Structures are given as structure tokens and as C-alpha cells.
Amino acid sequence: MKSKFILLGTFITITLFSGCNGSDNGTISKKETVLSVIHGRKSVRSFIKDRPVSDEDAKTLVKAGMAAPSGKDTRPWEFIIINNRNILDKLAEELPTAKMLSQAPMAIVVCGDTTKSSYWYLDCSAATQNILLTAEALDLGAVWTAAYPYPDRMGTVSKNISLPSHILPLVVIPVGYPMGPQSVKDKYDEKKVHMDKW
């Protein structure tokens, strides 16, 4: 009887571990999925202009942004979703590094509330990275175009979307479906890795 319990326990253990691994039954593990998205992310600057991003995907993107860590859990971020063609074109015209907004069907402006945190730009950077990774997971294209810390760019964004003075724009993220295949850069550099030897 005892040997039957041992065999049953061994079978359950093997089954659980093979299920978690995911590779034995043809499914992809969580680790493989996450690393695939991280290493597959690329900066997309060319979009299919007349293919809109769905409201559901837009919400998924900002929800991912809000899942980012923030100092003392202050969550100082605000997200402005822009679908208005006139505003996208105006920003493309006035922002030196965001000309692709003239093609993008949508943009997300990640902003920080300076009354909630003096290091809002750090928390909003984490939120921005979450949005970029989620865009990759949704087969969308996106790219980080900086507003902060450039006063002229921040002023342009604030003016065009009527931000109050205590809400500062960190980044404008053009979002859309990529125009053609996009290549991924392998950015790993062994020389940047330093072992703790002191």
C-alpha cells in the first residue's frame, strides 16, 4: 500500500513539473513568452495609416502602463490617448523626433503629475516600457519619442493637448500596425557586464 502512495506521489510531481515547464506538451512557457516579447521589441517608425488601433487594444496598452512599479506606490502617471488626425499631424509637424505621427493612427502621451511625485519621470518611464512591450505582444508597432526633458518639446505637447501646468509630458508613443517587416537589434554587449570582484 505504501509503495502505491509513493508511486502516485511521484506521478503527480512529474505531471505538475512537466505541466509548468510547458515544453513537453508543445505549449510555450511563461518564461519563453516574456523573453520573446522583450527580445522581439523594436522601435517602429513606419505605420499603416488607415488601419486603426482598436479601443480594446488601446485600453490593454494603458492598463499595462498602470501595472508598472512606482516609488511609494504613488502612481503619478496620466495617459492621453490621441486618435484625432489633426492633433497627430500637428505634433508630427512640430516635434523634431516624432515625424512618424503623420502615419500613426494613434498615440499615447505618458505624463507625470508633479504634485504627486518629484521623480515622476522615473515611474512614467517604467510605465512607458510596459506599453512598448505590450505593443509588441499585440503585434502592434510603437516607438519612444521623448518630450521630457526638452522644454520646447514639452511645451509643444502640452499646448496641443491642453495639459494643466502640473501635468508634464514625458513621452509621445506613436502606435499602429507596422508598415512591412521590422528588424530586431541584438543589443547584448558582454563588455557592459561587470562581475562583483571588489
Side-chain angles (χ1 to χ4, degrees):
M1 187 67 152
K2 185 176 180 181
S3 62
K4 285 184 180 177
F5 281 121
I6 291 171
L7 286 172
L8 180 62
T10 304
F11 173 77
I12 291 171
T13 302
I14 291 170
T15 303
L16 285 174
F17 275 106
S18 63
C20 291
N21 188 350
S23 56
D24 292 336
N25 60 11
T27 61
I28 299 173
S29 70
K30 183 190 291 187
K31 178 180 82 172
E32 291 169 318
T33 301
V34 170
L35 291 177
S36 172
V37 170
I38 290 172
H39 293 295
R41 190 212 64 81
K42 73 281 291 177
S43 296
V44 175
R45 296 178 174 85
S46 182
F47 303 95
I48 301 172
K49 188 173 183 177
D50 58 354
R51 187 175 175 189
V53 177
S54 71
D55 291 344
E56 181 182 352
D57 283 349
K59 185 175 181 180
T60 298
L61 290 167
V62 295
K63 281 182 74 173
M66 292 184 200
S70 66
K72 300 180 182 177
D73 198 28
T74 52
R75 305 176 213 176
W77 42 63
E78 300 288 338
F79 303 90
I80 315 298
I81 297 173
I82 305 173
N83 292 305
N84 184 298
R85 184 75 261 155
N86 290 334
I87 295 175
L88 291 169
D89 288 343
K90 189 70 173 167
L91 289 173
E93 182 185 321
E94 296 183 15
L95 293 172
T97 61
K99 301 305 180 189
M100 73 291 292
L101 284 168
S102 64
Q103 295 180 350
M106 188 186 89
I108 299 173
V109 184
V110 183
C111 306
D113 185 338
T114 58
T115 65
K116 291 186 177 178
S117 172
S118 59
Y119 45 88
W120 59 270
Y121 53 92
L122 299 176
D123 298 335
C124 291
S125 293
T128 299
Q129 180 70 350
N130 274 12
I131 290 171
L132 295 174
L133 291 173
T134 302
E136 176 68 27
L138 294 173
D139 292 324
L140 292 166
V143 61
W144 181 312
T145 69
Y148 180 87
Y150 308 100
D152 56 334
R153 298 183 200 177
M154 294 172 72
T156 292
V157 175
S158 296
K159 173 189 70 178
N160 279 286
I161 60 176
S162 303
L163 292 178
S165 60
H166 67 287
I167 304 292
L168 300 181
L170 174 80
V171 61
V172 179
I173 308 172
V175 182
Y177 287 90
M179 176 76 77
Q182 305 287 323
S183 59
V184 180
K185 295 178 183 177
D186 181 1
K187 299 182 180 181
Y188 181 73
D189 184 351
E190 193 74 45
K191 297 189 294 295
K192 301 286 186 180
V193 182
H194 310 281
M195 302 302 290
D196 180 10
K197 293 183 179 178
W198 50 83

